[in-house]
Amino acid sequence: MNISYILNDCLFEHNYEVTSLATNGIRYLISGSKDCTIKVWIVESNRPTTLYRTLIGHSSIIQDVAITQDEKYVISGSWDGNVCIWDIESGQCIKTIKHQSQIMKVSYIHQQNGNFISSITSDGTVMIWKLFFKKIKEENQNEEEKEEEEEEEEEEEEEPKFYKSYHEKGTFNTSCAFSTSADINPILCTSGSDREIFSCFDEFRNQDKLSNNNEFKETIRNDIDDNNDDKNKNVKIWKHDSKGIINYLLFSPANYFISSGCSEGIVCLWRYNNSDEFIKLNCNSPVNSFSYNPVTLIISTASDDNILIWDLEKKKILTTIVIDDFDDQLINKENKDEIILKFKDLERDKEYYKTQLKYHQKNSDKPLIRSLSICWFSYNIIFVACDDNTIREYKINNIFQN
């Protein structure tokens, strides 16, 4: 039995393409856009999703966003070369990490010994930063001692804990992903335009030890002797099985899979601890993003043409969501009039838009709207960021009956 879906809601607050989404599936949805803003949305069961706050401070396109596990902070990466840390409650940018080139991806992980973010830049550099370092403060500490510790923590955040370029010279980074579990030894993977995926497991741990002495070092892959048998001793390498450029990289829940999606519509999934276990999905259109269902082995892929929801165990498509489909049967009846009214206010010149998308869509019968980012909020709710400035909220039905 195929699962079904309805368009539950449509969010219209951005003024340009929505490029990225992030959520922990608790309360907030975070969105980044080409309008240089980040928006924080409140998602509640059986109630419309509402805009809580707009974060303003970047001077260029927001390429990626992330949210911390406790939902207190938002992390954003922009083409202005800055990674910003935002306090959700106040809406203030509490820290800016400056880079030398455009930010392509940011990723966050909560660990027992601290919280980390990674950033990759268009010049091929991967950096890992240790943030919000937790120190147990004694109850009898006076305010002066607490302030001194806080100042030390702020200083500790200034330098990256890990700094490396994995890909050949002339190759640009395309994505990165932290492992999803709070293991003491985090895993970071990075992909490049060379279609290679690198994992730095032991290297991160070793560099983190060095960082206690405020030290870090840069290692360039090209400086390693090709005849050295130990050159990949601490680095796992996967090769994306397609000629397309990798657009997105992600770990599945519990780190079962490391997965990549590319411009030729191919999604590759490897069992992290057993690279011989391999799944290849053909989406027939450039894959911009994908997301794992939080409770079952289902993955949703966002491409230039549509949204595909896959059953990974059976390796089959469960349903196809056509973004531009406004059939009466597919819109939530409670929100139907409001959604349609909003779209009338947002009406565009369709012929001009077809011309703009001619490079991506050779067949004019295909949908006019591309999905750029996607995330599961809960087991049956998906949010999709689109290039018509909107975020679609879909409710998936019969998900456990297929």
Side-chain angles (χ1 to χ4, degrees), residues 224-247:
I224 302 174
D225 183 1
D226 287 339
N227 295 320
N228 185 353
D229 294 335
D230 294 332
K231 69 174 182 175
N232 294 325
K233 182 178 179 180
N234 296 323
V235 180
K236 287 187 176 182
I237 303 176
W238 296 268
K239 187 76 172 181
H240 187 79
D241 190 17
S242 169
K243 295 181 179 179
I245 294 175
I246 297 173
N247 290 329

Short mmCIF file of all heavy atoms in Angstrom, two decimals, residues 224-247:
data_model
loop_
_atom_site.label_atom_id
_atom_site.label_comp_id
_atom_site.label_asym_id
_atom_site.label_seq_id
_atom_site.Cartn_x
_atom_site.Cartn_y
_atom_site.Cartn_z
N ILE A 224 51.03 14.76 1.50
CA ILE A 224 51.30 13.39 1.93
C ILE A 224 51.92 12.62 0.78
O ILE A 224 51.48 12.69 -0.36
CB ILE A 224 50.00 12.70 2.39
CG1 ILE A 224 49.37 13.50 3.54
CG2 ILE A 224 50.26 11.28 2.82
CD1 ILE A 224 48.03 12.97 3.97
N ASP A 225 52.94 11.88 1.09
CA ASP A 225 53.63 11.07 0.09
C ASP A 225 52.70 9.97 -0.41
O ASP A 225 52.19 9.17 0.37
CB ASP A 225 54.88 10.46 0.72
CG ASP A 225 55.70 9.65 -0.30
OD1 ASP A 225 55.28 9.61 -1.47
OD2 ASP A 225 56.73 9.10 0.10
N ASP A 226 52.45 9.94 -1.71
CA ASP A 226 51.55 8.95 -2.29
C ASP A 226 52.05 7.53 -2.08
O ASP A 226 51.27 6.58 -2.16
CB ASP A 226 51.36 9.20 -3.79
CG ASP A 226 50.50 10.41 -4.05
OD1 ASP A 226 49.74 10.79 -3.12
OD2 ASP A 226 50.59 10.97 -5.15
N ASN A 227 53.34 7.37 -1.84
CA ASN A 227 53.89 6.03 -1.65
C ASN A 227 53.81 5.57 -0.19
O ASN A 227 54.19 4.47 0.14
CB ASN A 227 55.36 5.99 -2.11
CG ASN A 227 55.47 6.24 -3.61
OD1 ASN A 227 54.65 5.75 -4.38
ND2 ASN A 227 56.47 7.01 -4.00
N ASN A 228 53.33 6.44 0.66
CA ASN A 228 53.22 6.10 2.07
C ASN A 228 51.99 5.25 2.30
O ASN A 228 50.87 5.69 2.08
CB ASN A 228 53.14 7.40 2.91
CG ASN A 228 53.16 7.11 4.39
OD1 ASN A 228 53.11 5.96 4.82
ND2 ASN A 228 53.24 8.18 5.18
N ASP A 229 52.18 4.02 2.76
CA ASP A 229 51.06 3.11 2.96
C ASP A 229 50.15 3.56 4.08
O ASP A 229 49.01 3.11 4.17
CB ASP A 229 51.57 1.68 3.27
CG ASP A 229 52.28 1.07 2.07
OD1 ASP A 229 51.99 1.51 0.94
OD2 ASP A 229 53.14 0.18 2.27
N ASP A 230 50.65 4.44 4.96
CA ASP A 230 49.86 4.87 6.10
C ASP A 230 49.09 6.16 5.82
O ASP A 230 48.51 6.74 6.72
CB ASP A 230 50.77 5.10 7.32
CG ASP A 230 51.38 3.79 7.81
OD1 ASP A 230 50.74 2.75 7.60
OD2 ASP A 230 52.48 3.84 8.40
N LYS A 231 49.11 6.63 4.58
CA LYS A 231 48.54 7.96 4.32
C LYS A 231 47.05 8.02 4.63
O LYS A 231 46.52 9.07 5.00
CB LYS A 231 48.77 8.37 2.86
CG LYS A 231 47.98 7.56 1.84
CD LYS A 231 48.15 8.13 0.45
CE LYS A 231 47.31 7.37 -0.58
NZ LYS A 231 47.39 7.99 -1.90
N ASN A 232 46.31 6.87 4.50
CA ASN A 232 44.89 6.87 4.79
C ASN A 232 44.57 6.06 6.04
O ASN A 232 43.46 5.56 6.21
CB ASN A 232 44.11 6.29 3.60
CG ASN A 232 44.21 7.19 2.39
OD1 ASN A 232 44.25 8.41 2.52
ND2 ASN A 232 44.26 6.59 1.22
N LYS A 233 45.56 5.96 6.91
CA LYS A 233 45.40 5.12 8.09
C LYS A 233 44.19 5.55 8.93
O LYS A 233 43.45 4.71 9.44
CB LYS A 233 46.67 5.19 8.93
CG LYS A 233 46.65 4.32 10.18
CD LYS A 233 47.96 4.42 10.92
CE LYS A 233 47.95 3.56 12.18
NZ LYS A 233 49.23 3.66 12.91
N ASN A 234 43.99 6.85 9.09
CA ASN A 234 42.91 7.35 9.93
C ASN A 234 41.77 7.94 9.12
O ASN A 234 40.90 8.62 9.67
CB ASN A 234 43.45 8.42 10.89
CG ASN A 234 44.45 7.85 11.86
OD1 ASN A 234 44.29 6.73 12.31
ND2 ASN A 234 45.48 8.62 12.18
N VAL A 235 41.77 7.73 7.81
CA VAL A 235 40.77 8.36 6.95
C VAL A 235 40.05 7.31 6.12
O VAL A 235 40.67 6.59 5.34
CB VAL A 235 41.43 9.41 6.02
CG1 VAL A 235 40.38 10.06 5.15
CG2 VAL A 235 42.19 10.45 6.83
N LYS A 236 38.75 7.24 6.29
CA LYS A 236 37.94 6.39 5.42
C LYS A 236 37.56 7.19 4.19
O LYS A 236 37.29 8.39 4.28
CB LYS A 236 36.67 5.94 6.14
CG LYS A 236 36.89 4.88 7.21
CD LYS A 236 35.54 4.39 7.73
CE LYS A 236 35.73 3.27 8.72
NZ LYS A 236 34.42 2.75 9.20
N ILE A 237 37.54 6.54 3.05
CA ILE A 237 37.21 7.22 1.80
C ILE A 237 36.13 6.42 1.06
O ILE A 237 36.23 5.21 0.91
CB ILE A 237 38.44 7.37 0.88
CG1 ILE A 237 39.56 8.11 1.62
CG2 ILE A 237 38.08 8.09 -0.40
CD1 ILE A 237 40.85 8.21 0.81
N TRP A 238 35.08 7.14 0.62
CA TRP A 238 34.06 6.55 -0.24
C TRP A 238 34.05 7.33 -1.56
O TRP A 238 34.36 8.51 -1.59
CB TRP A 238 32.67 6.65 0.38
CG TRP A 238 32.49 5.89 1.65
CD1 TRP A 238 32.03 4.61 1.81
CD2 TRP A 238 32.74 6.38 2.97
NE1 TRP A 238 31.98 4.28 3.14
CE2 TRP A 238 32.41 5.34 3.88
CE3 TRP A 238 33.22 7.58 3.49
CZ2 TRP A 238 32.53 5.48 5.25
CZ3 TRP A 238 33.34 7.72 4.86
CH2 TRP A 238 33.00 6.67 5.72
N LYS A 239 33.72 6.64 -2.62
CA LYS A 239 33.61 7.28 -3.93
C LYS A 239 32.15 7.27 -4.36
O LYS A 239 31.54 6.20 -4.47
CB LYS A 239 34.46 6.53 -4.96
CG LYS A 239 34.55 7.23 -6.31
CD LYS A 239 35.49 8.42 -6.27
CE LYS A 239 35.72 9.00 -7.67
NZ LYS A 239 36.65 10.14 -7.67
N HIS A 240 31.59 8.45 -4.55
CA HIS A 240 30.19 8.55 -4.98
C HIS A 240 30.03 7.92 -6.35
O HIS A 240 30.77 8.24 -7.29
CB HIS A 240 29.75 10.01 -5.02
CG HIS A 240 28.30 10.20 -5.29
ND1 HIS A 240 27.32 10.05 -4.33
CD2 HIS A 240 27.65 10.52 -6.44
CE1 HIS A 240 26.14 10.27 -4.87
NE2 HIS A 240 26.32 10.56 -6.14
N ASP A 241 29.07 7.01 -6.48
CA ASP A 241 28.91 6.21 -7.69
C ASP A 241 28.11 6.95 -8.76
O ASP A 241 27.00 6.56 -9.13
CB ASP A 241 28.22 4.88 -7.34
CG ASP A 241 28.25 3.90 -8.50
OD1 ASP A 241 29.06 4.11 -9.43
OD2 ASP A 241 27.49 2.93 -8.48
N SER A 242 28.66 8.05 -9.25
CA SER A 242 28.03 8.85 -10.29
C SER A 242 29.03 9.89 -10.76
O SER A 242 30.01 10.18 -10.08
CB SER A 242 26.76 9.53 -9.75
OG SER A 242 26.28 10.48 -10.67
N LYS A 243 28.79 10.48 -11.91
CA LYS A 243 29.65 11.54 -12.42
C LYS A 243 29.19 12.92 -11.94
O LYS A 243 29.85 13.92 -12.22
CB LYS A 243 29.68 11.51 -13.95
CG LYS A 243 30.33 10.25 -14.52
CD LYS A 243 30.37 10.29 -16.04
CE LYS A 243 31.04 9.04 -16.60
NZ LYS A 243 31.06 9.05 -18.08
N GLY A 244 28.07 12.96 -11.23
CA GLY A 244 27.56 14.24 -10.76
C GLY A 244 28.32 14.76 -9.55
O GLY A 244 29.03 14.03 -8.87
N ILE A 245 28.17 16.04 -9.29
CA ILE A 245 28.78 16.69 -8.13
C ILE A 245 27.91 16.44 -6.91
O ILE A 245 26.69 16.61 -6.97
CB ILE A 245 28.97 18.20 -8.37
CG1 ILE A 245 30.01 18.43 -9.48
CG2 ILE A 245 29.42 18.91 -7.10
CD1 ILE A 245 30.18 19.88 -9.87
N ILE A 246 28.52 16.04 -5.80
CA ILE A 246 27.77 15.80 -4.58
C ILE A 246 27.21 17.13 -4.04
O ILE A 246 27.95 18.09 -3.81
CB ILE A 246 28.66 15.14 -3.52
CG1 ILE A 246 29.13 13.76 -4.00
CG2 ILE A 246 27.91 15.00 -2.18
CD1 ILE A 246 30.15 13.10 -3.09
N ASN A 247 25.90 17.16 -3.86
CA ASN A 247 25.24 18.35 -3.33
C ASN A 247 24.96 18.27 -1.84
O ASN A 247 24.82 19.30 -1.17
CB ASN A 247 23.91 18.60 -4.05
CG ASN A 247 24.10 19.04 -5.48
OD1 ASN A 247 25.08 19.68 -5.82
ND2 ASN A 247 23.16 18.68 -6.34
#
